[in-house]
Amino acid sequence: DELRINPDQYPDNELIVFNRWGDVVYTARPYANNWDGTNDTGQNLPEGTYYYILRLNISEGVIIRGDVT
């Protein structure tokens, strides 16, 4: 799966990525299609499944949830 959005269409968006234990490993606000499998400090994350919440329009509560491997 790819996490791709149109940032012009959703300027008030936020991406939160969790590991399998529920720890937040990456956040971006606004998200600009630039997550490359690293954590917030730029270190590569171990291979595995990660879960995300992508809030496209925070004020209206438009949320997409999913996973990436």
Side-chain angles (χ1 to χ4, degrees):
D1 294 343
E2 276 193 33
L3 295 171
R4 303 215 42 91
I5 63 165
N6 181 345
D8 294 332
Q9 185 178 1
Y10 302 102
D12 184 28
N13 73 75
E14 179 178 36
L15 174 68
I16 305 168
V17 180
F18 304 86
N19 63 18
R20 64 182 176 181
W21 297 283
D23 300 319
V24 174
V25 295
Y26 181 82
T27 58
R29 184 173 177 182
Y31 172 59
N33 299 319
N34 55 352
W35 185 58
D36 59 0
T38 59
N39 64 17
D40 278 332
T41 62
Q43 297 174 321
N44 288 329
L45 291 167
E47 287 188 24
T49 301
Y50 293 86
Y51 304 90
Y52 65 87
I53 296 173
L54 179 57
R55 301 193 305 180
L56 296 178
N57 189 323
I58 293 170
S59 63
E60 294 181 14
V62 179
I63 297 173
I64 297 173
R65 294 177 176 92
D67 60 82
V68 292
T69 51

